[in-house]
Each structure stands twice: as structure tokens, then as C-alpha cells.
Amino acid sequence: MKELIRNRIGDLRAKMQEKGLSAYVIFGTDPHMSEYLPERWQTRAFIAGFTGSAGMVVVSLDKAALWTDSRYFLQAEEQLAGTGIDLVKMRTPGHPEPDQWIRMNLQKGAVAGIDEWSVSISQFAAMQSSLAASGITLKETGDLLDAIWNNRPALPDSPVFEHELKYACTSRNEKIEVICAELKKTGADMQIITALDDLAWTFNLRGTDVECNPVFMSYAIVSAKETTLFVNPQKISTELKAKLESEGIQIKGYEEITVALQQLPAHTRVWIDSDRTNQAIRKNIPEQCLVVEGLSIPCRLKAIKSQGEINHIRQAMRKDGVALLEFLYWIENNLGKIPVTEYTVAEKLNELRAKQAGFKGISFYPIVGYKEHGAIVHFHVAEDNALPVEKDGFLLFDSGGQYLDGTTDTTRTIALGELTARQKSDFTITLKGMISLTNAKFPVNTRGYHLDILARKDMWQHGMNYGHGTGHGVGYFLNVHEGPMSIRQEFNDRVIEAGMVLSNEPAFYRLGEYGLRTENMMVCVKDETTEFGDFLRFDTLTLCPIDAKAIDKSLLNQEEIEWLNKYHQWVYNELAPMVNDELKNFLKEQTKPI
């Protein structure tokens, strides 16, 4: 594999020389700025052999580098070894940003190329401006990898299906009306929708073009005059096409978006999200049109779940809770009796979820880390790299499911044998962060970075920390990582609002030893109104026992003990009616008060 990667880089450099390029930038995404990618756009993995879900690559005529974040440092070091590609650690002192690296390695007058279809408008503009300051040109060259990628996968052609109204809760026409009303407030005439989850939500449609995310490749133009969905017609059944057209939605081919943009009337005011729209779309909008940039309206709308959606999510969490309970019971009763590896743990989690009604697949690749593998934040377990799991140490498993009535994401760390005092202390201090954020009460207009300290304060007091975010938005039978809000140290201007569903996952990792993470999903709800304003809080959604064997009770205060006991009683009350007596007795033991 290493030699294959070196050969591919050599082929790319030959193509770069043909085009007069001194560097080529690969942002590692698709035309829709997706996190999980169809095989056709797994360009980062193709050129570098790196399989993490985040990162970009720059190849010059004599050097190559890959940037990724702290979740993937260990994985990247292993996968890049021997390829001639250097790892550059993002947001780490002493490591240059991609534009800085290009400026350091290219001379004034050089030209760097980029595929305009796979870079966002904002990313392109920022890099173009930065390089121009050093006399380097950033040129839109199209996809150079296409010429060197033998048997490159084609566009996905799986069928699109409806997310029935009984689950979607709001019709697509109602959603389109709201989008148009919001457009009117901005003075824009239309929005170009490009993010796949925005499209799936707007049209109450789903697909299987991307692993883990139930979306399909498409674009849309929405306006008060007309709405057009650009999608491969073969993906839409005759019946669905007729239904959409009867509702006033035109269907055109996926690649017809460029012609439609080029034909926009002069002076049309076009709303685009520069972070979620590729540079090629921007390039095809006539100069006579006025481009208005702002957050995608569907992105903002879908982040706030309706009460009907929240009710469905709670039901999905019950089903997911049963599957997780069955897994805990399985490992308790089989470990040491049959061979168990990290890979079989992942397979068992999938198997148990698949038994639940409305299950449509996993929401992300399971992260299963035993002992030292738990310290690899996004460890991608496979059959050939899985450790055997034994009755000793910690097992971390982070997994989720896609159900017609919701998307789930839960992490638990369980003790498989006797723990040291330090292991219990680390586990408990990490758990305190999750509880602290759960119990937050805060005024409206609070942002996620204001709340992040609640998850870290106990860790910081013990000289501990973790290098990733604390919470991300979760979609509704959509992407498990959903914006625009987040809870993390980095600045994010989006406020946390009632109806938003987020993860809560502070963590701690001792490299070479173990990883610890207890993750629940939660929904933001209204709390009370006082003379000082309106206040919000979080309600927990996840139903899964937390391993009391790993807790040092002396490190918990009374409020934390009461929260844990109340949480476990709630988990028992919700799940006990759904399982047989054997599982009910096991659940009672797992949720007894501490």
C-alpha cells in the first residue's frame, strides 16, 4: 500500500507539471462539503491512504503533507509512515496551517491548483487571499485525480425514498414555505441548497449514497416562484417523481445545476452558505446576480427539532437503550467463555441494533477501544487490527444507529476487571464533567463555548484535559454530526436554543493505557422565566447504565450522586417494560443506587 501511495503521488506530480502547477490542494471532501463521503470522493484516502474522516492534503513537486486534528494523530502517523507524506498536526503550536505551508514551500509567482467542486467558497477565498499576499496564485483546475484514478467509482445510483410524514412531522411544502418566508426577510429571491442533510430534511427524502448518513447526492434551488431538485432521475421512482411534481417540485438531472445557475436572470438575489457551498457553484452564478451569503436556512431550521420529532427521538432512544442493554448483558455473560475482540464487539452492537424496529443502519463507524486502543480517539477497528478483549481493564465503545424515528450516539466505558485507584479516579473525574454539563441552567443567547468549561473544570483542577469538542448537534434520521451549534472551546457564534439535540461527551485519554468517555445525548428545553430573563436547561435522552464499578464515590458530591441515582432509576423505568425478566433483573443490578 505504501508503494502504491508513492506511485499515485508521482502520477499526480506529473499531471501537475503538465498544468504548470507547483502544488495541488486536496480538501478531502465532496461537492457538498460532506463529512462521510461516497467512494467517488474519498480523495484523501486515495492519495494518502489516510482513512480518518477529517483532514486535507497538499502535494508540491518535492514534498507532501496531510493535516488532521487530534482525534486522528496516532492513526495518521501509522497510516502515513513510509508514504513520503508528512503529518502536520492541526491547531498545534509549531505546526503551520496549509496556506502557511504552501507559502513556505513555494516561490513567488508559483501557481497552486485546486478542484473548485470540492472546496467551499469560504475556504477558497481565504486560501486565495493568503497565498496572494506572497505572490502565489490559487487556480481552479478541476479534479486532477480523475486522470490518475483507475476504475474510479461512479456517482452513487441507489434509490431515493420518502421519510414518511408520520415520522417527518412536517410536510415538505410547509418546510419550503418557511424557507421562502425566511428568504423574504433577507431580501433574497432564492437559496441554492447544497448540503446533503439540508436537502434530505427539506424534501422529506432519504437515501443510501453515503455510509452512515441517510442522504443522497443532489442540489436544489428554492424560491417563492419555483423549487427544483437536481438529482439523477434514475434514483427517483416514477411514483415518487409524479408525487413531487404534483406538489410543484421540478426534477432535473444532478449535473444540470450549472446550466440552471448560468441562466439565472440578471439582478437575481441569490442566498448561499459560503461554508457549505462549493466554489464551482459560486463561479457559475452570473456576475449580474447579487450573491448574499449567510447560514443555510434549512441548516438553521432543522437544528431545532419539533415536539413531534423529539417524541420520536425518545422512542428511538428506548430501542437503542434495549440494544445497548442486551450488549452489556452479552459481554457480562460471554467474556472469558468465548473469543471476543474489539471487532466482534462492534459486530455485536450492530447485530443487536438491527433487531429493533425501524433500524436503517449505523450512524457512524463504531469506535471500540480496549485498553490502549481506547486512547486512540477515533480508533477505526477492523478484523485485522482488533485486540482480543479480556477480563481486565477498560473497554470503550462509541456507537449509534439510524432509525426512522431518530439518530443515536452513545458512548460507555466499562470495567472488565479490577481497577486501580487511578483508573477509578480518572473515570469519575471525567464523569463529573458530563454530569456538570447535563445540569447546566443558562440564559437564552448562551453559546456552546460558554458552556464548555462546565465539562472541563473538574479535569483542569486535576491537571487533566482532552483535545476535542464536548458536544455536537445530532440530526433527526440524518447526520450524526449536525451543525450549526456545538459545545467546544473554539468560538462558534450560534446560540444554543430550545429544541436543539446535542451530544455530551467529555473524555480523558492516557496514551498507551486507556481511554474514558461517557456520552449521552440531550435536548435543550425551556426552564423558567425570571425577572432576569428566560432560562434554558438540558434533558437527557440516552438510556444506558453507567458502570458504577468504575466510580470512586468519594470524588462525587451529593448533587452528582443524586443525579446518577435518579438517572439510573429513569433508565430502569423506561427500559424494564421492554425486556424479558432475565434482562430486567440484570438491568436492576446495573442501575441500583450507589
Side-chain angles (χ1 to χ4, degrees):
M1 183 64 180
K2 309 296 185 183
E3 184 178 354
L4 180 62
I5 295 300
R6 291 194 295 270
N7 290 340
R8 287 173 179 173
I9 292 173
D11 292 342
L12 176 58
R13 284 176 173 146
K15 186 58 62 176
M16 289 161 51
Q17 288 177 314
E18 285 180 24
K19 301 283 187 179
L21 303 176
S22 297
Y24 187 67
V25 182
I26 301 167
F27 266 86
T29 187
D30 65 4
H32 307 276
M33 308 301 109
S34 305
E35 177 184 11
Y36 292 95
L37 306 171
E39 289 185 8
R40 179 172 182 79
W41 281 291
Q42 291 181 10
T43 52
R44 181 175 51 237
F46 170 79
I47 199 65
F50 172 66
T51 57
S53 67
M56 63 177 291
V57 179
V58 180
V59 177
S60 73
L61 294 176
D62 59 356
K63 294 181 181 179
L66 177 140
W67 285 256
T68 192
D69 60 45
S70 61
R71 296 172 297 170
Y72 298 111
F73 288 167
L74 294 178
Q75 178 182 336
E77 285 174 357
E78 180 180 319
Q79 292 182 328
L80 297 180
T83 64
I85 302 172
D86 297 325
L87 169 63
V88 185
K89 298 179 179 180
M90 292 172 61
R91 296 186 290 275
T92 302
H95 291 256
E97 294 299 311
D99 58 321
Q100 296 171 321
W101 187 92
I102 295 171
R103 291 165 66 176
M104 289 163 53
N105 287 282
L106 268 60
Q107 296 182 347
K108 184 176 181 179
V111 179
I114 196 166
D115 176 18
E116 63 270 29
W117 286 98
S118 296
V119 60
S120 72
I121 296 167
S122 58
Q123 289 169 329
F124 180 85
M127 180 167 281
Q128 185 181 54
S129 175
S130 174
L131 297 186
S134 294
I136 299 170
T137 301
L138 184 63
K139 181 181 179 182
E140 298 144 302
T141 61
D143 189 354
L144 297 191
L145 297 184
D146 208 39
I148 66 170
W149 193 335
N150 296 326
N151 302 313
R152 184 173 187 174
L155 281 167
D157 59 2
S158 57
V160 171
F161 61 94
E162 274 202 273
H163 192 211
E164 295 178 63
L165 186 57
K166 67 178 180 179
Y167 297 116
C169 301
T170 307
S171 74
R172 51 184 153 257
N173 279 340
E174 289 175 295
K175 291 178 179 179
I176 290 169
E177 285 177 10
V178 174
I179 292 169
C180 290
E182 292 296 310
L183 277 171
K184 189 174 181 180
K185 292 177 186 177
T186 70
D189 300 310
M190 62 173 57
Q191 179 179 343
I192 303 169
I193 306 177
T194 63
L196 300 184
D197 56 334
D198 285 359
L199 288 151
W201 177 87
T202 299
F203 293 96
N204 287 347
L205 300 174
R206 299 294 189 270
T208 57
D209 286 356
V210 180
E211 285 190 280
C212 304
N213 295 342
V215 296
F216 57 98
M217 309 303 295
S218 57
Y219 296 98
I221 296 177
V222 174
S223 74
K225 293 182 179 179
E226 61 182 14
T227 294
T228 305
L229 179 64
F230 299 87
V231 59
N232 180 350
Q234 295 179 350
K235 298 168 68 66
I236 307 288
S237 69
T238 303
E239 295 78 13
L240 181 55
K241 184 174 186 288
K243 185 174 184 180
L244 292 169
E245 289 179 340
S246 73
E247 296 174 12
I249 298 167
Q250 298 181 58
I251 304 297
K252 292 188 177 180
Y254 177 72
E255 294 175 349
E256 292 183 65
I257 182 68
T258 53
V259 174
L261 293 175
Q262 292 164 3
Q263 293 176 348
L264 288 176
H267 311 301
T268 302
R269 295 173 61 90
V270 183
W271 184 273
I272 58 174
D273 186 331
S274 61
D275 291 329
R276 294 169 177 80
T277 305
N278 67 60
Q279 173 63 17
I281 293 289
R282 178 67 182 86
K283 190 177 175 182
N284 277 286
I285 298 173
E287 291 184 4
Q288 297 84 358
C289 295
L290 177 63
V291 171
V292 185
E293 295 187 4
L295 178 67
S296 167
I297 294 170
C299 179
R300 175 165 52 85
L301 295 175
K302 78 177 189 302
I304 301 174
K305 276 56 179 177
S306 68
Q307 190 56 53
E309 289 174 326
I310 293 169
N311 293 341
H312 281 304
I313 292 168
R314 289 191 181 279
Q315 181 57 29
M317 298 306 303
R318 292 185 189 98
K319 293 183 289 188
D320 211 60
V322 169
L324 290 168
L325 176 64
E326 289 177 340
F327 169 75
L328 292 171
Y329 180 81
W330 174 83
I331 200 160
E332 173 93 2
N333 288 279
N334 288 281
L335 192 62
K337 299 176 183 177
I338 63 172
V340 177
T341 71
E342 292 165 325
Y343 184 75
T344 57
V345 165
E347 292 289 289
K348 178 58 71 171
L349 286 164
N350 294 345
E351 173 193 322
L352 295 173
R353 282 193 171 94
K355 292 165 48 181
Q356 298 299 317
F359 179 75
K360 303 297 286 186
I362 59 175
S363 57
F364 57 98
Y365 303 118
I367 300 164
V368 180
Y370 177 58
K371 288 193 172 179
E372 65 266 27
H373 277 180
I376 304 174
V377 183
H378 274 209
F379 178 64
H380 185 74
V381 65
E383 203 163 3
D384 61 354
N385 68 356
L387 291 175
V389 179
E390 300 169 344
K391 287 189 170 184
D392 182 38
F394 283 119
L395 173 69
L396 181 154
F397 53 98
D398 184 352
S399 63
Q402 293 286 8
Y403 301 86
L404 290 171
D405 42 6
T407 300
T408 69
D409 181 3
T410 301
T411 308
R412 288 294 182 265
T413 308
I414 57 175
L416 301 181
E418 290 299 315
L419 300 179
T420 66
R422 188 180 74 165
Q423 286 175 321
K424 285 190 173 184
S425 173
D426 286 349
F427 181 94
T428 308
I429 292 166
T430 307
L431 175 63
K432 286 166 71 73
M434 193 276 283
I435 297 173
S436 179
L437 181 56
T438 301
N439 288 335
K441 180 176 178 178
F442 50 96
V444 296
N445 295 320
T446 296
R447 291 159 176 80
Y449 68 90
H450 294 141
L451 299 173
D452 186 82
I453 178 61
L454 296 175
R456 298 179 192 265
K457 63 183 179 68
D458 283 293
M459 281 194 188
W460 287 358
Q461 288 173 351
H462 288 83
M464 301 159 61
N465 201 10
Y466 54 98
H468 55 72
T470 298
H472 57 81
V474 180
Y476 176 61
F477 185 35
L478 273 174
N479 296 4
V480 74
H481 297 139
E482 180 180 273
M485 66 292 184
S486 63
I487 300 174
R488 56 189 311 119
Q489 289 181 285
E490 293 84 0
F491 176 79
N492 181 341
D493 196 42
R494 308 311 303 184
V495 300
I496 306 298
E497 300 180 65
M500 289 181 169
V501 173
L502 300 108
S503 69
N504 175 1
E505 49 184 312
F508 181 65
Y509 311 97
R510 287 197 184 275
L511 292 184
E513 297 185 51
Y514 50 81
L516 306 169
R517 190 160 68 248
T518 301
E519 174 190 13
N520 281 348
M521 282 171 51
M522 55 192 187
V523 59
C524 180
V525 298
K526 294 178 181 178
D527 186 75
E528 67 172 339
T529 299
T530 73
E531 66 268 35
F532 301 103
D534 297 325
F535 285 79
L536 306 172
R537 60 180 173 84
F538 293 119
D539 267 358
T540 298
L541 297 168
T542 300
L543 292 156
C544 182
I546 295 167
D547 192 354
K549 299 191 300 296
I551 294 174
D552 180 346
K553 185 178 175 180
S554 69
L555 295 175
L556 297 179
N557 60 39
Q558 191 57 38
E559 181 185 13
E560 291 162 341
I561 293 170
E562 289 175 2
W563 178 89
L564 184 65
N565 289 337
K566 185 177 178 182
Y567 173 73
H568 274 156
Q569 185 61 55
W570 174 64
V571 170
Y572 180 83
N573 292 343
E574 292 288 322
L575 297 186
M578 301 177 67
V579 300
N580 60 34
D581 288 343
E582 194 170 357
L583 275 173
K584 191 181 298 184
N585 291 333
F586 176 74
L587 176 62
K588 194 169 190 66
E589 179 66 22
Q590 296 296 306
T591 56
K592 66 183 181 183
I594 65 169

